[in-house]
Amino acid sequence: MTILLHDVQYLLQIPVEGRLMSRTSEQLDHPEVGLCALLGMNSEQLSGRSEVPGFGSKGKWYDKGGFLADMASRYLQVNGTHVTEAQSYLLLMLGSTLFVDKSRDRVRPVVNLFLDELEEIDQYSWASGTLAWLYRCLGQASRAGARGVAGCLTLLQCWIYEYFPGFRPSHFEPPVVGPDEAWASRWIGQPATGSVADPSVRLAFYRRALDSLTPADVFWTPFHQRPHLEVRRSLYTGVIRFADIGQFYDPARCLRQFGYRQMVPPPPSRPQRADRPEAPGGYVIRIPESFDAAWDALLSHMVHIDMYSQPWRTYPYETTADYLDWFVAHSHCRVLRDDGDADRLVDSAAVRFDH
């Protein structure tokens, strides 16, 4: 299972339908050009090599692939137009919510490429862009040398709460949301789940909690029994993008999240190039731009679920007879090693996990 397009729409109330968030290689080669236009600066001022008139001192507005959107927003409140002030605000908001990186105070400048025409903002599929960026960040975070995770972690955390009740905040019953409200708002201000006193075993504890999950511990369809009836695009199969990031999206591997029996999925699509070293900095996946055409041909690039599978009959995690053997052969079924060390460490600590 994984985060799907309908999950993003329900949790964040941002649109799935719209144009794919892709950009040409020419636009991506020099993203600082758009930042200069936004701020009314030249490249020397943007990089901090010369002073910005009216700002008082030099400063690196753009450095190491990141842009100081907060400083730009304050600058444009005084020196910008209503349009550029709105653009800088959106750049700051999107960079600190949907397209978060690990720099804390900087925004990826490619976000600005989708804000140059304000009247076109509502024409993009922001849900697919957000999901593509999060998929990439989770892939990078899975490398042995990773030291953190970026992406829309509000989406990730609330998705966990909705699908895995055992990880929800203790002794809290989330309120019912209205039809146009973001389901993520149900978890505003709630503390983390049960505590683990000893930080040296905290990771091992949660890994063991994951390994102890059974299919019955998962809420497979938290938003709608047949979510594709409301968010048809969630059955799309192909590439989703955010600027230079391309990720394959394959709902055929997650049929139980649509209320259907899981079958052995077809082989995954192959990227043009894939390099996933232990150091996340060298993580590269390249998918030809020609794959993007599938987004605009939904009928021929989607899982026709009623012909492909059947609704579950006995329990919501139902699978075909051959699926579990296939899953065991192709997956890592446990997070912890089977050497007993992690269990010994966890059992020595005072821990609590509320189901």
Side-chain angles (χ1 to χ4, degrees), residues 51-63:
E51 187 174 310
V52 177
F55 199 69
S57 62
K58 299 179 183 179
K60 290 187 177 181
W61 301 68
Y62 176 68
D63 184 43

Side-chain angles (χ1 to χ4, degrees), residues 140-151:
Q140 292 174 328
S142 70
R143 303 297 90 192
R147 293 294 180 268
V149 61

